[in-house]
């Protein structure tokens, strides 16, 4: 399978034999509103590297978003979620400062910490 972004109309269509991220499942990174799944292989590799580095689960509030769902949740018009290059990660089991430092080491380059909602946005 190509390392380019690939869009599936439903996360269940992604070939199981091609899924290479052991700590995540397609349903976790699929659009919450439509079930569509886009995979950016580099971003997923970075997410798995971060999970390995932290040696602790990463719980996702949001990953890929379809244009429909992005508008519905008030996402930015040019959100990296639309390209499957962003993840909103819950902070309940992570120290935000350590999490961000580890994410930087794993090639994430953009961050937003939402203290009231206890999640951090990371993207490549």
């Amino acid at each position: 399978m190509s390392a380019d972004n690939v869009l599936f109309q439903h996360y269940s269509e992604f070939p199981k034999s091609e899924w290479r991220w052991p700590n995540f499942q397609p349903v976790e990174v699929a659009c919450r509103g439509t079930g569509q799944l886009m995979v950016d292989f580099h971003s997923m590799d970075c997410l798995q590297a971060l999970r390995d580095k932290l040696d602790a689960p990463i719980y996702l509030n949001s990953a890929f978003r379809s244009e429909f769902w992005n508008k519905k949740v008030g996402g930015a018009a040019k959100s990296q979620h639309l390209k499957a290059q962003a993840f909103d990660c819950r902070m309940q089991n992570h120290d935000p400062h350590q999490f961000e430092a580890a994410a930087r080491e794993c090639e994430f380059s953009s961050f937003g910490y939402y203290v009231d909602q206890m999640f951090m946005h990371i993207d490549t």
Side-chain angles (χ1 to χ4, degrees), residues 59-112:
Y59 301 105
L60 302 174
N61 288 342
S62 183
F64 169 68
R65 292 184 199 147
S66 66
E67 287 186 30
F68 164 80
W69 193 247
N70 192 58
K71 286 178 188 173
K72 185 158 178 92
V73 299
K78 295 189 181 202
S79 172
Q80 296 301 301
H81 288 282
L82 296 166
K83 299 178 189 176
Q85 296 175 349
F87 307 96
D88 292 342
C89 307
R90 291 184 223 152
M91 290 291 105
Q92 283 86 340
N93 62 327
H94 298 286
D95 173 270
H97 300 290
Q98 292 175 346
F99 186 91
E100 182 178 339
R104 286 184 188 280
E105 290 179 27
C106 294
E107 299 184 37
F108 287 96
S109 57
S110 183
F111 301 87

Side-chain angles (χ1 to χ4, degrees), residues 20-57:
R20 65 186 194 210
W21 307 281
N23 295 106
F24 301 95
Q25 296 299 314
V27 67
E28 292 178 88
V29 295
C31 178
R32 300 281 194 243
T34 65
Q36 291 178 318
L37 174 65
M38 181 182 287
V39 175
D40 179 86
F41 285 70
H42 173 71
S43 296
M44 283 300 299
D45 288 345
C46 293
L47 185 65
Q48 183 62 54
L50 177 58
R51 168 59 174 85
D52 294 344
K53 183 174 227 12
L54 294 170
D55 194 28

